[in-house]
Amino acid sequence: MRQDNPSPLEFFSRLRWLDGRDLLDTMEEYRRELHMQALYTFRGDGSPLYNFVLSGRAKKNWKTTDLVLAAFYRNLVWHSAHNNDCYILANDEGQAGDDLTIAKKLVEANPIIKRDVNVLVKGIKRKDGAGAIMILPAGDPTGAHGKTASFIGFDEIHGYKTHDLFEALAPDPTRQDTITWITSYDTIYNSPGVPLYDFKQAGKAGNDPRMLFSWYSGEYCTDPRFAELPSDERANPSMASWPEGPAYLAQQRRRLPSHKFRRLHLNLPGAPDGAFLDNDIVVNSTISGLRHIPYEPGHNYVAFVDMSGGSSDDAVLAIAHKEDRYRRLDLCISQDGKPPFNPRNAVRKFVRALQDYHIDEVTGDNYAGLTFKSDFELAGISYRSSDKNKTEIYEAFEPHLNGGDVELLDLPKLQEQLLTLVVRGAKIDHRPGDHDDWANAAAGAIALANEEKAYHVRKWDEVEKRQHREMADPLADF
């Protein structure tokens, strides 16, 4: 099978883009690699290695174009014992029209394609009858059910709530060369059971050898070349191709509600129903580009820790201080590496950070009994059990956030967790399958910063009372 098929890049090298440029001159290296991995990587028997592709990027990063190009490759170039039918299911009529427009313009720009196909109302059909590219809105996959296809593409599935359409258009199990390709920015409904959420979790788990997971977002990136870049660049790997460059994102930030900007241009999930915190307020309280604030003499710093057993949740330390009317988050860090991890190594890392900020006490809950209390205290850091539960911490944090008194660090995981907190009955918590360790630590530190002056007064009173007792009775503690 491999020997009979020219590679995608061989095919693309013969094509032109809509403006007359050589197509490959418009394709960044990461896009070329995606096509080669997805369409031209093989198993030992010559069949394609991947039969499922999940490709996520922010808006204006060529997602739809790559989907259409992949369909053209599978329709016109791929040699198969079966037909070369390809389906692209768009999110709605408008998206289907946009996808179809790109496909038709590619035909017009490339005589080598035009000579072999007829342009239809809803697609492109090979003149030899060997297959067609049909582009339909997701609610109208008429005629696609039960048919065998070489390629099944889904363009923008961020609004899907169920797997029904994927089940209806499941690939023919008798065909080894069928590929399903999904491209989208992140979901509005970021919870278990929602297709894009479930697909992302499978991609992150990495336990499906026939799934290719390509994801670029402000919070998570599968490409090591972009993973350490600022969130704008991480979510927009094609930014260099934009005429306005970064200025376009600055413009969109001014014009769009922050929750829409996050989803469209940072490829981050939308806020869930029942969200506890206001999306715009969280985003506006975040100091763009600021990852931490170093220690400065003269501030009274406080620290809150959300420990973990190391199997699934992060262990997170947050440090904050109050300055004038502001509660500032100075540091928010987790253990080194992803779960699973040794939580005692996290304690050692946190102790070093506490010492850097001249802090000799940390507050946390009673997770794992006195285990972590003992670990901190053996390192010279006293551990105080919080007098508030998680819900009370969030309730203490919210008024200061809404009042514009809180300044947060620009940490995507923290922002995502704050924005996905929900009210569940009388409790404030994360949704099933999500986490709130970063949010809990940060909110806990901010709440402590608000209480910091009063707390230090109480602590001084206790010391003074003890000194008076000792003066009255030197043996009182013996």
Side-chain angles (χ1 to χ4, degrees):
M1 184 180 294
R2 180 170 20 189
Q3 295 80 0
D4 296 334
N5 293 283
S7 76
L9 295 189
E10 289 178 81
F11 174 53
F12 298 154
S13 69
R14 303 180 62 192
L15 302 182
R16 293 189 178 277
W17 181 235
L18 310 185
D19 58 7
R21 286 180 294 166
D22 289 344
L23 180 61
L24 285 182
D25 289 345
T26 71
M27 295 182 71
E28 301 91 339
E29 189 64 27
Y30 84 92
R31 293 174 58 210
R32 298 185 188 193
E33 291 178 2
L34 174 63
H35 282 282
M36 291 297 288
Q37 279 186 285
L39 302 171
Y40 211 68
T41 307
F42 301 93
R43 298 189 291 181
D45 63 359
S47 62
L49 173 59
Y50 298 111
N51 59 16
F52 186 89
V53 176
L54 177 59
S55 174
R57 299 168 230 160
K59 192 175 182 179
K60 293 180 69 71
N61 283 273
W62 302 92
K63 299 190 307 296
T64 295
T65 297
D66 285 339
L67 184 70
V68 172
L69 287 172
F72 268 113
Y73 174 76
R74 273 308 189 99
N75 178 250
L76 297 174
V77 178
W78 188 256
H79 296 171
S80 174
H82 305 277
N83 66 62
N84 281 45
D85 282 335
C86 300
Y87 293 95
I88 294 179
L89 281 299
N91 187 49
D92 52 30
E93 288 279 1
Q95 184 70 50
D98 292 343
D99 295 1
L100 186 58
T101 297
I102 291 175
K104 290 180 176 180
K105 286 184 176 182
L106 278 169
V107 172
E108 287 299 317
N110 291 278
I112 64 170
I113 296 179
K114 190 173 183 179
R115 73 189 182 197
D116 292 330
V117 303
N118 291 315
V119 176
L120 309 177
V121 174
K122 292 187 176 182
I124 312 292
K125 186 174 182 179
R126 285 175 53 156
K127 289 181 178 179
D128 63 4
I133 301 174
M134 301 302 295
I135 302 177
L136 306 166
D140 182 32
T142 307
H145 296 264
K147 288 194 174 182
T148 182
S150 173
F151 182 91
I152 305 170
F154 294 87
D155 194 6
E156 301 299 0
I157 67 167
H158 54 271
Y160 291 22
K161 288 185 177 182
T162 72
H163 287 261
D164 292 351
L165 189 59
F166 298 101
E167 293 170 357
L169 296 176
D172 181 350
T174 66
R175 283 192 70 162
Q176 289 193 336
D177 65 340
T178 299
I179 185 169
T180 297
W181 184 309
I182 296 170
T183 187
S184 188
Y185 44 78
D186 216 333
T187 178
I188 301 170
Y189 314 105
N190 195 45
S191 59
V194 171
L196 191 46
Y197 177 92
D198 292 345
F199 294 150
K200 284 191 305 175
Q201 295 305 111
K204 290 178 180 180
N207 52 17
D208 183 348
R210 302 204 67 191
M211 176 182 183
L212 177 59
F213 183 43
S214 172
W215 199 260
Y216 297 79
S217 79
E219 185 270 328
Y220 181 87
C221 183
T222 57
D223 188 336
R225 294 168 297 190
F226 291 84
E228 300 303 321
L229 295 179
S231 58
D232 284 3
E233 297 174 48
R234 196 160 55 232
N236 296 280
S238 289
M239 188 189 296
S241 71
W242 303 346
E244 297 180 48
Y248 170 74
L249 288 185
Q251 169 191 286
Q252 294 301 101
R253 270 196 173 92
R254 292 190 296 268
R255 294 180 179 178
L256 291 174
S258 58
H259 67 280
K260 287 190 176 180
F261 178 85
R262 278 169 44 84
R263 200 163 56 81
L264 294 178
H265 296 291
L266 294 181
N267 191 26
L268 294 171
D273 293 338
F276 172 61
L277 299 175
D278 183 276
N279 191 301
D280 290 352
I281 293 175
V282 172
V283 174
N284 292 336
S285 299
T286 300
I287 309 303
S288 180
L290 187 64
R291 302 299 179 90
H292 81 284
I293 304 174
Y295 169 79
E296 293 181 9
H299 296 313
N300 289 319
Y301 292 95
V302 293
F304 193 98
V305 66
D306 185 318
M307 287 305 299
S308 160
S311 59
S312 58
D313 294 337
D314 286 331
V316 182
L317 170 73
I319 294 174
H321 76 278
K322 184 178 179 183
E323 186 175 349
D324 299 324
R325 60 179 280 253
Y326 291 103
R327 288 85 177 160
R328 292 192 167 98
L329 185 64
D330 299 279
L331 184 73
C332 195
I333 56 173
S334 68
Q335 77 287 336
D336 291 328
K338 299 177 181 179
F341 61 90
N342 184 337
R344 288 197 161 91
N345 290 338
V347 171
R348 284 190 279 271
K349 177 180 179 179
F350 295 165
V351 166
R352 292 193 296 271
L354 292 165
Q355 292 169 341
D356 287 343
Y357 283 81
H358 298 204
I359 299 173
D360 59 8
E361 179 177 86
V362 66
T363 300
D365 60 21
N366 289 316
Y367 179 81
L370 299 179
T371 300
F372 298 122
K373 174 182 174 69
S374 301
D375 287 347
F376 278 103
E377 293 185 347
L378 283 172
I381 304 292
S382 62
Y383 186 101
R384 185 167 71 104
S385 295
S386 175
D387 57 2
K388 292 182 174 66
N389 61 35
K390 185 187 295 187
T391 295
E392 291 168 336
I393 287 171
Y394 291 136
E395 289 175 338
F397 167 73
E398 184 196 22
H400 298 293
L401 180 74
N402 291 345
D405 300 339
V406 172
E407 292 185 350
L408 299 170
L409 298 173
D410 189 1
L411 303 171
K413 188 171 286 189
L414 169 62
Q415 190 175 100
E416 179 183 356
Q417 290 188 4
L418 287 171
L419 291 174
T420 53
L421 292 172
V422 294
V423 179
R424 301 171 63 188
K427 294 182 178 181
I428 301 161
D429 205 349
H430 60 79
R431 295 166 305 163
D434 284 357
H435 303 275
D436 71 343
D437 27 48
W438 287 71
N440 188 41
I446 294 294
L448 283 177
N450 183 55
E451 300 172 359
E452 176 267 331
K453 185 175 180 180
Y455 170 67
H456 279 282
V457 169
R458 289 197 303 271
K459 188 174 181 180
W460 175 255
D461 287 345
E462 291 170 3
V463 172
E464 196 172 50
K465 287 177 183 176
R466 180 176 175 180
Q467 288 174 341
H468 281 299
R469 286 199 309 271
E470 290 174 348
M471 289 174 65
D473 183 0
L475 301 178
D477 292 331
F478 293 90

